[in-house]
Amino acid sequence: MAIRTPDQRLRVFVSSTLGELAPERRAVSRAISALRLTPVLFELGARSHPPRDLYRAYLAQSDVFIGLYWQRYGQIVPGMDVSGLEEEFELSEALPRLLYVKVPAPDREPRLSDLMARIRQEASYRRFGTSAELGRLVRDDLAVLLSERFATAPAPSPVTAPPPRPSSRTAPVLPVTTTSMFGREQAIDEVVALVERSEVRLVTLTGPGGVGKTRLAVAAGERLQDRFAAGTVFVPLAAVTRPELILAAIGRAVGADLAGASSPAEALAEQFGDGRWLLILDNLEQVVQAALDLGQLLARSAGLDILATSRTVLGLQAEREYPVPPLPLPDYAAGTPIGELASSPAVALFVDRARAVRPGFALTEDNAEAVAQICRRLEGLPLAIELAAARTRLLDPAGLLRRLATSLDALGTGAVDMPERQRTLRATVEWSMGLLDDAERFLLETTAVFAGGWTTEAAAEVSGLGVDRTLDLTEALARHSLIQIDSPDGRPRPRLLETVREFVAERLAARPDAAEIERRHAGYYRVLAGQADRPLRSAGQNEWEELLQAEAGNLAAAVRWYLAHDPAPLPHLFRALYPWWSLRDHQAEARPWVEQLLPRAGSLDPQARAELLWTATVLAGDMGDDRAALATRQSLGPLVEEIRDPFLRAVSHLAMAWTSPIAGDLDGSLREASASLAALRGQDEPFWTALAAFTTGSLETTAGRYDDARQHLSEARDRAEGFDGTWLTAGSRVMLGILNVIRGRLDEAKGLLNEALSLSLASRSTPFVALTLAAYARLDFAEGDPERAARLEGAAEGLRKRGGLQTWPMLRQGEAELVIQMRQALGAHRFDQAFSAGTRLSQREAVAAVRDRSGSGTRPQAS
């Protein structure tokens, strides 16, 4: 079959039902036209002819068949056994076929399902979700089909190839991408909207290497082609290293002869004339000094717009920056449906590229978590995800994840037709660093010591550059797209992408001052942790919890440094940080640090020894290590009355109260809690006084002293509300709710527990969310629904277990008695089934089950 000249183009027949796929038909028509081919669609025909004769005539004159299928089979007209949709497929047997199926299709008609089964036997098809994705697939597949099926036919020139030197009225076509994009629909819309604004002449897409700037620019250019009648011109600049050569590269792309021109900008302006042009300038970062030339070109060419990609902005007044973000990361938890995970753009990209090297690859229950963790480890950077997916030729996702935990060099190299600077992540980072001056490079290497980001003040202290100079250099590094600026709480927070940090850290390690930088980093965060002590015990608790949470990675790095070099400050820091550890579920991370220091306890001064033993005792109790808790408690006990610091002595009594129930000494526990509360009431310790009152009331509840319990729990609630202690406010309401259940005041209990659940979730406290679920289990049991109660008790246990926690010793007796009652009511088998189903509920599912207490009798299903 010969390719026809532009006035006799290849005709592509598009087969589909008319109503349900209208946007998709338009997208396919645009894709066909973009390749200089002619779309043939039934609704464009002369309606005076019989429809069947019309589509048969169209098919007889077409060269390629495209079939689009979703849910409708189409009408079967009198005299036919099949619909026009199926007959079109039958009549296309002699043509090259490109078939596409839209998913999901929950209401597919049976006749279409039968046709799909037939198609699977005779041909192959591709799935798509949106019209934009379909347009890209059709364009890509048609380009491959043209090159494979028609390239050898005698013809003056291939329809996909641009003329060798385009005139001022004919621009080269955009580069045809060979892979699909994922998760960029909104970004494409936003870039197109920016370019379409009349006052915007230059849009620069910025971002780190491998984030997908070029692909986004090309996709936006495709969408914008109709607006730029004179032409849309793609100008690759990666090989251009001298700013003065930029205009010459543009001239070659648009077919302008600049030889001998006194002013290249004037010559180009004459070439552009009054036409509407869009220049896509790709990879400008190494020649940003050409910005003034581009500014002059824009000033002289009224119809010209520029869409640029660069790792740094150009700095022109007419410029609008569009930072290209990494792909959104998948949320994964045990039980997350595969379909939900597959809809994540990062995961979809990984699966698509994995199938390119391993056709049978699929997302399954066995590999879903590893794939999600790979995408999170690579922070949604498309290049990194593509390189990782290419490794699935030899490694399964779990093996790849293990290798990535060791080094990002495990990603290897990309396809040979990728730019050299992007064939490995290392090359991408080194390319960017090569564009920095010495001061910028020094600050970048210094920031590799930070984990999870930093503040300007921290970077200034650690680098020794001062705040003003650090601000200037940080801004420069952000312009180079080597650092990201996040604003999680409205305050800017720079950070390195992990894909950048790992390689920059190698540069830091090679510096002669690396040890001093690490020492200053550890010292800065030791001071910060010390400053947190008083606020965590009073009205500043919530604010400082957020601050410490943002610095969790840096605090962990500082602790590790002090463990290796100077452990003396750590016992005090451990005691000071415990409220934050407890609230934000850091006990499992912190406990090994404390245990590493315990063998040195005998060499510490009495105050430090007591603080270390105190922290070891309460952490062991939180995590259910009863033997260790009793061992450190035994060492702490003799020190309590010798401690000179009144605060430390009071909270040591509290630690004794928390652990005495392990040994079955409930009376002793109450004495210790009462002593702690009495001592703390005379001190300015809002948090710890409220916690002591909560402990005393909880123990009294277990002991059956309900009037005293109500008094102390109410005191705990009132004190916690006084300093906005959300988690203690929640905890006191839970225990007051349990008291009301015990006393038969179920409606009052419901109100308290509903408030407690909202507060526990707001404080993100796993122990108190679990405690609230267990309290709801007690309420359900009291209301006569032991099966639901067993399920919620199981949910509380599962939540604690996944966090490495156990029921606090002072509450274990009450929960154990409730479990015995539920088992007796249900029988062992039914109880075990309900309890086990509850342990498999995620926190979100358990909370949904609690909030759906409508009395309908429905039961939440474990996933």
Side-chain angles (χ1 to χ4, degrees):
M1 183 182 298
I3 288 184
R4 297 170 182 146
T5 53
D7 58 339
Q8 287 184 308
R9 296 174 178 172
L10 282 171
R11 287 189 282 266
V12 182
F13 184 90
V14 182
S15 171
S16 78
T17 52
L18 298 183
E20 67 171 357
L21 291 171
E24 287 77 6
R25 289 167 67 86
R26 289 193 293 270
V28 170
S29 180
R30 289 194 298 267
I32 295 169
S33 298
L35 292 174
R36 309 293 197 269
L37 310 179
T38 299
V40 178
L41 295 94
F42 173 76
E43 71 262 33
L44 300 180
R47 297 291 179 139
S48 59
H49 294 281
R52 188 179 188 189
D53 293 345
L54 193 62
Y55 66 68
R56 284 183 170 185
Y58 280 177
L59 264 169
Q61 299 176 53
S62 296
D63 307 296
V64 178
F65 177 86
I66 289 181
L68 311 178
Y69 309 99
W70 188 19
Q71 301 193 118
R72 301 291 170 258
Y73 176 70
Q75 291 184 337
I76 303 176
V77 300
M80 291 184 62
D81 296 325
V82 298
S83 70
L85 188 74
E86 184 163 356
E87 187 179 38
E88 287 170 354
F89 175 75
E90 293 172 347
L91 295 174
S92 69
E93 184 177 8
L95 299 179
R97 288 168 167 169
L98 299 175
L99 309 177
Y100 304 91
V101 178
K102 184 173 182 177
V103 293
D107 301 317
R108 179 172 291 156
E109 294 176 350
R111 288 293 297 268
L112 181 57
S113 296
D114 295 341
L115 176 59
M116 296 303 305
R118 176 183 171 188
I119 289 174
R120 281 193 291 272
Q121 294 176 352
E122 300 180 19
S124 61
Y125 58 81
R126 301 185 71 172
R127 294 179 174 87
F128 68 94
T130 66
S131 57
E133 180 185 3
L134 173 64
R136 291 191 292 272
L137 291 174
V138 169
R139 184 199 61 211
D140 295 347
D141 293 345
L142 273 175
V144 173
L145 178 66
L146 290 170
S147 63
E148 292 179 351
R149 185 69 65 96
F150 303 117
T152 59
S157 62
V159 294
T160 54
R165 293 182 63 81
S167 70
S168 62
R169 305 302 298 172
T170 306
V173 296
L174 293 170
V176 176
T177 57
T178 57
T179 55
S180 301
M181 293 178 69
F182 294 89
R184 295 301 195 196
E185 288 78 10
Q186 180 179 346
I188 295 171
D189 290 342
E190 291 172 347
V191 172
V192 167
L194 265 180
V195 176
E196 287 180 335
R197 287 168 56 180
S198 59
E199 74 276 15
V200 175
R201 303 285 308 285
L202 167 63
V203 176
T204 303
L205 308 185
T206 62
V211 80
K213 300 183 294 293
T214 300
R215 286 179 180 171
L216 177 56
V218 170
E222 290 172 346
R223 183 87 65 82
L224 288 161
Q225 284 187 104
D226 291 343
R227 278 187 64 89
F228 294 91
T232 298
V233 185
F234 182 84
V235 187
L237 298 171
V240 180
T241 57
R242 292 162 53 192
E244 63 271 19
L245 299 180
I246 290 292
L247 295 185
I250 294 172
R252 287 192 299 273
V254 300
D257 187 359
L258 305 186
S262 58
S263 170
E266 285 186 11
L268 280 173
E270 183 178 345
Q271 176 83 358
F272 291 137
D274 296 328
R276 291 285 288 138
W277 289 84
L278 177 65
L279 290 183
I280 300 180
L281 306 182
D282 189 43
N283 291 116
L284 265 175
E285 58 263 12
Q286 77 278 16
V287 282
V288 292
Q289 298 88 344
L292 291 178
D293 289 339
L294 294 176
Q296 291 181 14
L297 185 58
L298 286 169
R300 295 174 176 177
S301 308
L304 173 66
D305 285 357
I306 294 177
L307 177 59
T309 74
S310 174
R311 300 185 195 184
T312 181
V313 293
L314 304 181
L316 292 174
Q317 287 186 345
E319 183 177 27
R320 296 293 185 274
E321 181 185 6
Y322 185 88
V324 180
L327 295 175
L329 297 176
D331 290 326
Y332 181 83
T336 301
I338 293 295
E340 180 180 328
L341 189 62
S343 66
S344 160
V347 171
L349 175 63
F350 183 95
V351 172
D352 182 78
R353 301 304 190 261
R355 285 174 178 162
V357 298
R358 190 172 165 184
F361 183 86
L363 196 66
T364 66
E365 297 286 352
D366 292 333
N367 65 25
E369 181 175 7
V371 170
Q373 292 301 329
I374 288 169
C375 294
R376 295 189 69 84
R377 161 80 171 150
L378 301 176
E379 297 183 278
L381 193 69
L383 172 63
I385 292 173
E386 292 186 20
L387 293 174
R391 284 299 209 190
T392 58
R393 188 193 304 272
L394 299 174
L395 293 170
D396 63 19
L400 175 58
L401 180 60
R402 287 192 295 271
R403 288 179 61 84
L404 287 178
T406 304
S407 172
L408 290 174
D409 278 329
L411 294 176
T413 58
V416 295
D417 58 348
M418 292 177 68
E420 187 64 31
R421 68 186 184 282
Q422 289 189 343
R423 292 198 62 204
T424 67
L425 277 182
R426 182 179 297 278
T428 299
V429 175
E430 288 176 348
W431 164 275
S432 296
M433 291 189 69
L435 304 176
L436 304 179
D437 62 29
D438 290 342
E440 292 166 345
R441 191 175 295 110
F442 167 70
L443 182 60
L444 180 68
E445 291 169 354
T446 298
T447 60
V449 76
F450 293 95
W454 60 88
T455 62
T456 300
E457 293 76 12
E461 181 73 22
V462 175
S463 66
L465 292 172
V467 172
D468 291 340
R469 183 63 171 146
T470 299
L471 274 172
D472 291 341
L473 293 173
T474 299
E475 187 175 352
L477 292 174
R479 287 198 303 268
H480 281 283
S481 301
L482 280 164
I483 65 173
Q484 303 290 109
I485 307 293
D486 298 333
S487 300
D489 55 0
R491 290 176 291 189
R493 181 175 178 83
R495 70 178 178 94
L496 286 173
L497 288 175
E498 192 60 32
T499 48
V500 174
R501 181 175 180 265
E502 179 171 314
F503 298 121
V504 177
E506 294 177 5
R507 303 282 290 265
L508 171 62
R511 293 184 61 88
D513 57 351
E516 175 61 17
I517 289 172
E518 292 173 352
R519 184 192 67 78
R520 291 201 297 261
H521 174 271
Y524 180 87
Y525 287 101
R526 177 182 67 81
V527 171
L528 182 70
Q531 292 171 342
D533 187 15
R534 285 302 311 173
L536 286 176
R537 291 150 58 176
S538 59
Q541 187 180 79
N542 290 342
E543 179 183 353
W544 273 82
E545 283 166 3
E546 294 293 338
L547 190 155
L548 294 177
Q549 189 65 19
E551 301 294 357
N554 289 311
L555 289 165
V559 168
R560 289 191 291 267
W561 187 92
Y562 277 102
L563 282 170
H565 297 90
D566 178 17
L570 290 179
H572 177 69
L573 291 187
F574 290 163
R575 197 274 303 151
L577 291 174
Y578 171 76
W580 168 60
W581 287 344
S582 178
L583 174 63
R584 294 303 179 91
D585 301 338
H586 288 288
Q587 296 102 317
E589 179 185 32
R591 193 175 173 217
W593 302 333
V594 176
E595 290 182 321
Q596 186 176 338
L597 201 55
L598 269 179
R600 308 187 194 186
S603 63
L604 301 175
D605 65 68
Q607 173 90 2
R609 184 162 63 254
E611 288 184 305
L612 179 61
L613 290 169
W614 181 89
T615 309
T617 300
V618 296
L619 282 177
D622 285 348
M623 302 193 69
D625 190 342
D626 293 354
R627 179 178 298 180
L630 289 175
T632 51
R633 176 184 185 275
Q634 187 174 3
S635 299
L636 176 64
L639 299 177
V640 172
E641 298 306 325
E642 300 176 11
I643 298 172
R644 296 183 178 180
D645 178 359
F647 166 72
L648 181 57
R649 185 165 61 250
V651 296
S652 294
H653 279 296
L654 196 55
M656 303 296 285
W658 290 340
T659 50
S660 291
I662 297 173
D665 187 4
L666 187 61
D667 291 339
S669 181
L670 260 172
R671 285 194 301 272
E672 294 285 3
S674 298
S676 175
L677 178 57
L680 287 165
R681 279 174 174 157
Q683 302 177 33
D684 182 20
E685 296 292 344
F687 167 73
W688 287 100
T689 307
L691 188 54
F694 171 82
T695 301
T696 305
S698 299
L699 288 165
E700 288 166 338
T701 301
T702 301
R705 295 164 52 176
Y706 300 137
D707 290 337
D708 293 338
R710 176 175 293 278
Q711 179 182 344
H712 286 121
L713 292 171
S714 297
E715 178 186 354
R717 178 198 59 203
D718 295 343
R719 288 183 180 273
E721 289 176 348
F723 67 89
D724 197 23
T726 307
W727 61 311
L728 264 178
T729 303
S732 58
R733 276 173 164 74
V734 174
M735 293 307 301
L736 286 168
I738 290 174
L739 266 179
N740 279 290
V741 173
I742 293 171
R743 291 184 158 183
R745 301 169 182 170
L746 303 188
D747 288 339
E748 190 174 344
K750 288 179 187 177
L752 286 165
L753 294 185
N754 289 340
E755 293 174 3
L757 181 61
S758 296
L759 289 167
S760 298
L761 293 170
S763 68
R764 288 166 286 185
S765 170
T766 297
F768 279 117
V769 172
L771 180 62
T772 309
L773 293 175
Y776 273 113
R778 185 180 292 274
L779 176 60
D780 281 332
F781 187 77
E783 290 182 330
D785 194 341
E787 187 166 353
R788 184 186 182 99
R791 186 185 294 272
L792 287 180
E793 185 66 32
E797 180 63 21
L799 192 59
R800 291 182 185 123
K801 188 174 182 180
R802 289 191 291 274
L805 306 171
Q806 285 197 21
T807 308
W808 290 315
M810 63 184 178
L811 300 178
R812 289 179 192 172
Q813 180 178 326
E815 283 202 32
E817 291 172 352
L818 176 63
V819 167
I820 291 171
Q821 294 171 17
M822 288 188 290
R823 184 180 290 274
Q824 289 174 342
L826 288 171
H829 180 67
R830 283 183 64 198
F831 171 81
D832 289 342
Q833 279 189 322
F835 186 88
S836 177
T839 62
R840 296 193 295 272
L841 293 175
S842 67
Q843 176 175 302
R844 180 181 60 185
E845 291 168 329
V847 169
V850 164
R851 287 177 168 167
D852 186 29
R853 305 178 79 256
S854 61
S856 62
T858 57
R859 295 288 184 267
Q861 298 298 313
S863 58

